[in-house]
Amino acid sequence: MKYIQKDNNIIVWQNDFNLNETLDCGQAFRWEKISTSFDCTYKGFYLNHPLTISAKGDHFIFHDTSEQDFLNIWVNYFDFETDYGKIKKLLSKDKTLAKACEFAGGIRLLRQDKWEALCSFIISQNNNIPRIKGIISRLCAHYQGFPSPQQLALENIDSLSFLRAGFRAKYLLDASRRIANGELDLGEIAAMPINDARKALMSIKGVGPKVAECALLYGMYRIEAFPIDVWIKRVLEQYYPNGFPEFANEYAGIAQQYLFHYIRSLQKSTTQMA
DNA sequence: TTCCAGGCGTATC
DNA sequence: GATACGCATGGA
């Protein structure tokens, strides 16, 4: 990564990074594409820190961003210090993964907030991405930012009806109450051996294997976590009848991101042809 | 109209 | 432990 300060912006040159692939691949739901004169521009947040970021030619523009915020917040959030070229090279020993890396090699795993990621993927269950974004958008609009567990714990099913989250509202309440009352500590869970962390997360109502795995991968940067949803299930059935390659286990979560994007693109193209 | 969406809880065997 | 079914909501 190379960067310079220019006016109030930070200009960044970064390999293995594509804004559309990273911010619109179903790992984070609070980034909004806005129309500008750049190649593409997104507005979004990490916690309560806003950011407008553009892609333009061979570089990226962090608008109205201080060097301090760039280094302290965004380098970590966008995982700029991880060598994805090296990871992709390793994963590409497998044919299908090689194709997926080539197709979606600009995805970086965002280091999101633990609580927000947990809530986001509780909301994601049996739901589609546009609607997940809608629910989270209503949530953040209502609280003028992503609500804390303590704030949400004060609500009840009726007071959350504005979310139109359906049966998932009671799950959000259970998660927030048990964190607010100290029964669960996401910081502690993040540091546990992964099977203990899975078990702790799944003690929350509405958190099963898939949501727990997503909370670990997207909120706690446990890149060995491997969420299996309907799409990845199709990948495993179609391409890995004898099991997922063991050499990829260390980076299974990143491999999963590439595969998720890849299989969805194949599905879309066949749907269009049909 | 019916089907489906980055699943999970519950009942039943 | 495995399998079947309902679940809130809304887009296609």
Side-chain angles (χ1 to χ4, degrees):
Chain A
M1 180 194 67
K2 183 176 82 177
Y3 75 92
I4 58 168
Q5 260 185 301
K6 192 176 176 194
D7 305 321
N8 293 325
N9 307 326
I10 302 285
I11 315 291
V12 181
W13 288 263
Q14 173 66 61
N15 294 331
D16 308 304
F17 183 41
N18 179 291
L19 264 193
N20 288 318
E21 290 174 11
T22 298
L23 296 179
D24 207 15
C25 68
Q27 64 172 322
F29 304 100
R30 260 173 104 194
W31 291 94
E32 182 193 357
K33 195 170 191 173
I34 58 176
S35 62
T36 64
S37 57
F38 301 97
D39 294 347
C40 69
T41 298
Y42 284 81
K43 282 181 75 168
F45 295 85
Y46 168 67
L47 293 173
N48 55 347
H49 305 286
L51 176 67
T52 302
I53 180 172
S54 299
K56 173 78 177 169
D58 67 344
H59 59 274
F60 301 90
I61 303 158
F62 287 67
H63 299 274
D64 298 315
T65 302
S66 69
E67 182 177 22
Q68 189 182 358
D69 279 357
F70 176 69
L71 294 175
N72 292 342
I73 300 169
W74 302 114
V75 166
N76 181 64
Y77 181 78
F78 287 102
D79 202 21
F80 280 160
E81 290 184 336
T82 297
D83 185 350
Y84 281 73
K86 190 176 135 194
I87 294 171
K88 284 188 284 184
K89 195 174 171 187
L90 174 79
L91 294 177
S92 295
K93 287 196 287 183
D94 173 81
K95 266 189 186 171
T96 304
L97 273 169
K99 282 186 197 167
C101 287
E102 196 175 337
F103 177 77
I107 297 180
R108 283 178 169 265
L109 190 64
L110 299 171
R111 295 185 187 240
Q112 300 180 65
D113 174 62
K114 300 171 185 64
W115 166 242
E116 182 175 328
L118 174 62
C119 289
S120 298
F121 284 93
I122 285 175
I123 291 167
S124 79
Q125 68 178 265
N126 196 223
N127 214 342
N128 55 56
I129 291 177
R131 200 165 161 266
I132 297 164
K133 285 185 175 175
I135 293 169
I136 293 173
S137 164
R138 288 190 285 279
L139 185 65
C140 293
H142 184 83
Y143 293 96
Q144 300 182 309
F146 203 93
S148 66
Q150 290 74 19
Q151 283 178 295
L152 261 193
L154 297 173
E155 303 292 350
N156 56 59
I157 296 290
D158 289 336
S159 70
L160 284 182
S161 61
F162 73 94
L163 280 181
R164 305 201 298 278
F167 61 86
R168 305 165 193 85
K170 58 181 178 290
Y171 301 153
L172 290 175
L173 287 175
D174 188 57
S176 60
R177 284 170 184 167
R178 297 178 55 190
I179 291 166
N181 72 15
E183 191 181 331
L184 290 174
D185 183 320
L186 293 181
E188 286 177 9
I189 291 174
M192 287 178 183
I194 196 154
N195 282 330
D196 295 343
R198 285 177 174 130
K199 202 172 158 190
L201 287 167
M202 285 170 58
S203 72
I204 299 168
K205 273 238 182 301
V207 178
K210 160 62 167 62
V211 172
E213 216 65 5
C214 285
L216 284 162
L217 180 61
Y218 302 115
M220 305 179 185
Y221 201 74
R222 296 297 290 262
I223 58 176
E224 73 273 41
F226 191 77
I228 299 177
D229 68 339
V230 290
W231 294 97
I232 296 299
K233 204 169 283 178
R234 284 171 207 164
V235 171
L236 294 177
E237 284 166 5
Q238 198 171 338
Y239 296 101
Y240 302 102
N242 301 318
F244 196 64
E246 250 181 59
F247 72 83
N249 282 349
E250 187 184 354
Y251 300 112
I254 292 175
Q256 188 266 12
Q257 281 288 93
Y258 296 141
L259 289 169
F260 178 76
H261 208 57
Y262 179 58
I263 191 76
R264 279 171 59 99
S265 76
L266 291 182
Q267 185 80 21
K268 275 180 198 164
S269 57
T270 53
T271 309
Q272 279 164 9
M273 285 191 290

